[in-house]
Amino acid sequence: MIVLVFKYLLPKGYRGITLFPFIIFSDTNSKNNLVLLNHEKIHIRQQLELLIIPFYMWYGLEFLVRYFQYKNWNLAYKNISFEREAYANEKDLNYLKKRSFWEFYKFL
């Protein structure tokens, strides 16, 4: 995994994004934030499980469904199953060691 810092690639208000195999942060200090780094590592695992391209397709489709459901960008984003799993477990720094395959599915 390579950690990059490139604030212009991130939408405003976001501190990090994972574009396999890269984790991109909005600023250099974020790479030292263990909770944020764990959140993004959860996305790496999700992307690997879905063979990368299908992950992005699912993510985008689910975002659209959630956007029509909530009529709110932030609520749609926070309710994507991949994000729900990552936010629910980001503080557990051992989560990836015990995580089951396709664990995000429980967050649909």
Side-chain angles (χ1 to χ4, degrees), residues 11-12 14 63-64 66-67 70-80:
K12 188 173 182 165
Y14 290 79
F63 175 80
L64 289 174
R66 301 294 183 198
Y67 186 76
Y70 295 109
K71 309 278 190 275
N72 178 288
W73 184 280
N74 195 46
L75 276 175
Y77 161 74
K78 292 272 186 166
N79 281 285
I80 296 169

Side-chain angles (χ1 to χ4, degrees), residues 16-20 22-24 39-41 43-44 47 56:
I17 189 169
T18 301
L19 301 170
F20 185 85
F22 304 105
I23 297 174
I24 302 162
H39 179 103
E40 299 304 335
K41 285 181 178 180
H43 289 318
I44 290 280
Q47 291 171 12
Y56 292 111

Side-chain angles (χ1 to χ4, degrees), residues 40-66:
E40 299 304 335
K41 285 181 178 180
I42 292 169
H43 289 318
I44 290 280
R45 180 74 57 85
Q46 294 165 340
Q47 291 171 12
L48 285 170
E49 287 174 346
L50 286 169
L51 305 176
I52 303 158
I53 299 299
F55 168 86
Y56 292 111
M57 294 168 59
W58 185 330
Y59 192 104
L61 183 60
E62 189 173 348
F63 175 80
L64 289 174
V65 168
R66 301 294 183 198

Side-chain angles (χ1 to χ4, degrees), residues 67-103:
Y67 186 76
F68 285 113
Q69 179 182 5
Y70 295 109
K71 309 278 190 275
N72 178 288
W73 184 280
N74 195 46
L75 276 175
Y77 161 74
K78 292 272 186 166
N79 281 285
I80 296 169
S81 57
F82 303 113
E83 294 300 340
R84 291 179 67 203
E85 178 192 7
Y87 279 113
N89 297 289
E90 66 186 6
K91 292 180 182 171
D92 180 356
L93 301 182
N94 294 310
Y95 176 68
L96 287 172
K97 293 177 185 170
K98 60 188 177 189
R99 181 183 180 271
S100 300
F101 189 76
W102 274 41
E103 188 73 18

